[in-house]
């Protein structure tokens, strides 16, 4: 079974620019998550989708972050405008209802 | 508000010995606990889990112990192997399944030959 695909792997942008990340979950996985992992910290949930509906976005900074999941499959996470503190690894994960997640390799964002 | 804490940022263990990684949590609503392993430039991979109705779960060289009264869990790896060198994250969820996970800060384990 193919894993969770994420792109790009790395991105460097200047502050106040915009950036978008893409995620393709494992086929058939209804639940998709975006996590932010700042260096030295554990992953923190930004948003959870069930099919194409949002289940939890309580920790998503909605003034600058947005996410969508088209047709309940692929998902994009956007930051506009980026701040220095957004430098992190952005992890996408998907799951079926029974067990733990399968994570993608992540996108490392550096804001300069 | 750090609900899941891994107080040791790093741990160094000799090959063949036991590695013990610790995790504490504060939220009594957590009912399911997981350990993830992460290599550089890769996403975390699921290692082992335990439900709150158990106090021990074993899978090969990996054993997780849960002490609910102390709100503490630990991961034991024995014997430790060089390939076990990675960052280990403890995570907790209020229910088993596809739910929000709260992660600890991680512990970097280094196995020395």
């Amino acid at each position: 079974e193919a894993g969770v695909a994420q792109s790009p792997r790395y991105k460097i942008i200047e502050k106040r620019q915009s950036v978008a990340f893409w995620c393709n979950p494992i086929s058939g996985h209804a639940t998709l998550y975006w996590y932010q992992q700042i260096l030295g910290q554990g992953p923190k949930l930004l948003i959870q989708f069930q099919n194409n509906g949002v289940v939890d976005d309580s920790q998503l900074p909605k003034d600058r972050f947005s996410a969508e999941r088209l047709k309940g499959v692929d998902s994009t996470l956007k930051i506009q405008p980026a701040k220095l503190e957004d430098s992190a690894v952005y992890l996408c994960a998907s799951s079926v209802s029974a067990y733990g997640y399968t994570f993608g390799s992540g996108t490392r964002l550096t804001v300069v | 508000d750090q609900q899941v804490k891994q107080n040791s940022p790093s741990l160094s263990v000799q090959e063949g010995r036991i590695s013990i990684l610790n995790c504490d949590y504060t939220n009594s609503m957590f009912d399911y606990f997981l350990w993830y392993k992460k290599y550089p430039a890769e996403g975390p991979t699921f290692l082992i889990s335990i439900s709150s109705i158990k106090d021990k779960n074993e899978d090969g060289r990996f054993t997780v112990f849960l002490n609910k009264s102390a709100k503490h869990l630990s991961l034991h790896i024995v014997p430790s192997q060089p390939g076990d060198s990675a960052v280990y994250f403890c995570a907790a969820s209020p229910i088993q399944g596809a739910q929000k996970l709260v992660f600890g800060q991680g512990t970097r384990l280094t196995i020395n030959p």
Side-chain angles (χ1 to χ4, degrees), chain B residues 85-97:
Chain B
S85 295
V87 176
Y88 290 79
F89 290 100
C90 168
S93 172
I95 189 171
Q96 178 177 339

Side-chain angles (χ1 to χ4, degrees), chain B residues 4-112:
Chain B
V4 178
K5 297 180 184 179
Q6 294 176 255
N7 291 318
S8 297
S10 62
L11 177 67
S12 186
V13 174
Q14 194 166 0
E15 181 179 0
R17 299 289 185 101
I18 183 171
S19 295
I20 300 176
L21 296 95
N22 294 303
C23 178
D24 296 296
Y25 61 96
T26 57
N27 190 338
S28 58
M29 296 301 294
F30 288 145
D31 208 39
Y32 189 63
F33 304 90
L34 308 93
W35 283 94
Y36 282 82
K37 176 179 179 179
K38 185 181 185 302
Y39 292 118
E42 295 183 13
T45 56
F46 171 74
L47 193 56
I48 192 168
S49 63
I50 188 167
S51 166
S52 62
I53 62 173
K54 292 185 168 184
D55 56 16
K56 177 183 175 181
N57 189 26
E58 192 171 354
D59 183 2
R61 296 186 297 113
F62 302 92
T63 303
V64 56
F65 296 91
L66 175 62
N67 182 333
K68 282 198 72 176
S69 61
K71 294 190 176 67
H72 177 83
L73 66 156
S74 60
L75 174 68
H76 292 209
I77 306 172
V78 56
S80 300
Q81 298 174 356
D84 296 329
S85 295
V87 176
Y88 290 79
F89 290 100
C90 168
S93 172
I95 189 171
Q96 178 177 339
Q99 299 290 333
K100 171 181 176 178
L101 291 181
V102 180
F103 283 84
Q105 308 96 308
T107 296
R108 181 178 299 279
L109 176 66
T110 302
I111 306 301
N112 302 307

Side-chain angles (χ1 to χ4, degrees), chain A residues 39-72:
Chain A
L39 185 65
Q41 299 181 20
K44 181 186 81 171
L45 179 70
L46 291 176
I47 189 167
Q48 176 185 347
F49 291 95
Q50 181 74 20
N51 296 308
N52 60 355
V54 175
V55 174
D56 184 346
D57 64 356
S58 57
Q59 297 192 86
L60 186 74
K62 298 180 186 65
D63 57 335
R64 299 184 299 106
F65 285 65
S66 64
E68 61 179 3
R69 189 179 185 192
L70 302 174
K71 300 180 182 178

